[in-house]
Amino acid sequence: MMTSQPSPDAFDALVRTAQFQRTRRIQIPDFAYPEGVKLAVNFTLDFDAMLLRRLLNEPWGQKAKGEFGGRVGVWRIMEMFDAEDVKVTLFTPGRICELYPEVLRAVIQNGHELGNHMWEHEVYADPVIEDAHLTRTLKALSAIQGGPVTGTRSSHTPGLLRSKGVVYNSFTSAHDLPFYELDAQGENPILQLPFHYALDDAMYFSFGWLDTPNAAQRVMDVDEVFDIWWAAFEQQYKAGGYVNFLLHPFVSGHAMRVDIIQRLIQRIKTLPGVWFPTCDTLAQHILTHHPLPEAQ
Amino acid sequence: MPWKDFYTTSDEIGIRDAAIQWPEGQSMALGLTVNLNPAGAGKRITAKDLAYPTWHYGLKEGLDRFLELFDQLGIRATEVLTRVTGQAPKGWFALSRPDDRAATGCATDDTVSLLKARGYAYIGNGLADDAPYYWVTDPAKSESLLALPYYYHFDDTFFLMFPREGIGLERPQALLSNWRAEFRAQYRRGRYGRRNRRALASGASRRDDAEPRAKHLARLRRQPELSPWTAKTFWTA
Ligand SMILES: [Zn+2]
């Protein structure tokens, strides 16, 4: 069967869309880190424990797999970060403040950051519900943090996020370096601290991740993943870029994985000029030194 | 917080490494579980499953080879039986079948309470810890069942002949690497390790390199960095 050609009007509309989409992601000219820093490495932990498994109505084994992250994994991985003196950001659903308050208080005491990760790992289409969830989550997190929450990892509406004081999101991989992103109407710019799925632990280690079928499963061993992550880091290090490792306490809190992440950090530290800030620390540097150019 | 309410199975904070004590001053516990099921589809066992050549292999040479190896190494294993004859088992496993859509077993809302009511001493695949812990069935009455840790990264089901023999993936090296990495980490922590094996998969010889897969276990035993390996299985039925 022949594929029909789009009409000239439809083609023009596609061209206009492509042009608009390109303008939505604004790279930062002459991007620079603080003096002496060659690149920043963010370790970001999505502390969602069993919430997504529960949302999808999965059996108890699945929920318990997530529960490991809250009662064992998060403690263990945070102890390792503290031993390495690396500050991290935990993107945390509001409900976790009720399930695991003690570890969150310990995390704040040790100088780490809490960011928003939805109420129960879901953004609802109804704007009233979305607002209520975001408000409730920010309130719960900032009560523990003892100060405002400035970041999110979510598909929350950018305009709503800005109205609540959220200044950055870490939810896209459109560029290697941090950049500003406009919403679908070309408004409400928000700073994006990009992650990449190649640096997401769950992709390598979690069975059936993102609904992949059984025949597609490759439960990886830690050494394979260490090599992939080291290569990704090295490439960005040479380029003076940015690295954001996305970890889940229920995945990377397992003993063998805490060990490879520690090994990775120790190897990274052998190179000069690597900065391990929280996402908020990095965001404040960018907002201060590289605000969005006016003429957009 | 409405503790539990379909969120959690156990307490807020798991046992810390320093609080764990094993009998006779041992450094860690290592559980070895042999799963003797026909590993068919996620349904009941059928006559067809029992006629299956690979199942036949598993119960004969596969199992014999395991037992011989365990004898040589002086270790005891727990065999997961699908049907009990004679003595009642103390433990119960809800392991996943290769074609289940999750690798974490099939415990339902009622499983643990039912096991408790029927007098079982433990459930074999707890996923909320990597040390033995208590799966709470009724917080009001402080009722719980011992759960022994399980994690599919150490279960050969997901590495050998997965998801089905002939069409599946054969990744013994990844399995061995996971075992070794976890063993090293848990030995240092003085915690717990668990390997799950199927007699029909791990017991099989690989015709192409003439090296029995069961030898992986012996190889693990021989790793210089793992000796002296004094782990015992404390939870055998
Ligand atoms: Zn998440």
Side-chain angles (χ1 to χ4, degrees), chain A residues 46 48 52 117-118 121 248:
Chain A
D46 289 6
D48 32 42
L52 183 57
H117 196 44
M118 305 159 278
H121 214 275
H248 297 76

Side-chain angles (χ1 to χ4, degrees), chain B residues 92-151:
Chain B
W92 195 85
F93 290 75
L95 296 172
S96 293
R97 285 69 49 110
D99 63 349
D100 281 338
R101 287 297 286 122
T104 45
C106 44
T108 68
D109 293 355
D110 302 318
T111 301
V112 180
S113 317
L114 285 172
L115 292 174
K116 181 94 189 146
R118 295 288 171 95
Y120 281 86
Y122 69 88
I123 178 166
N125 53 316
L127 282 120
D129 207 322
D130 55 8
Y133 68 103
Y134 289 96
W135 186 316
V136 179
T137 47
D138 187 342
K141 289 191 239 161
S142 315
E143 247 181 39
S144 62
L145 185 68
L146 178 64
L148 299 186
Y150 166 88
Y151 194 37

Side-chain angles (χ1 to χ4, degrees), chain A residues 124-155:
Chain A
Y124 290 88
D126 182 334
V128 176
I129 300 176
E130 186 194 350
D131 191 328
H133 277 208
L134 182 61
T135 304
R136 190 152 49 143
T137 302
L138 292 174
K139 189 172 167 226
L141 292 172
S142 52
I144 290 176
Q145 183 148 261
V149 170
T150 60
T152 187
R153 174 167 282 150
S154 70
S155 60

Side-chain angles (χ1 to χ4, degrees), chain B residues 11 17 19 26 52 54 69 85-87 113 117 195 197 209:
Chain B
D11 46 358
D17 295 344
Q26 298 285 1
Y52 198 56
T54 310
L69 180 67
T85 51
Q87 244 189 333
S113 317
R195 285 94 184 89
R197 314 166 59 75
D209 65 4

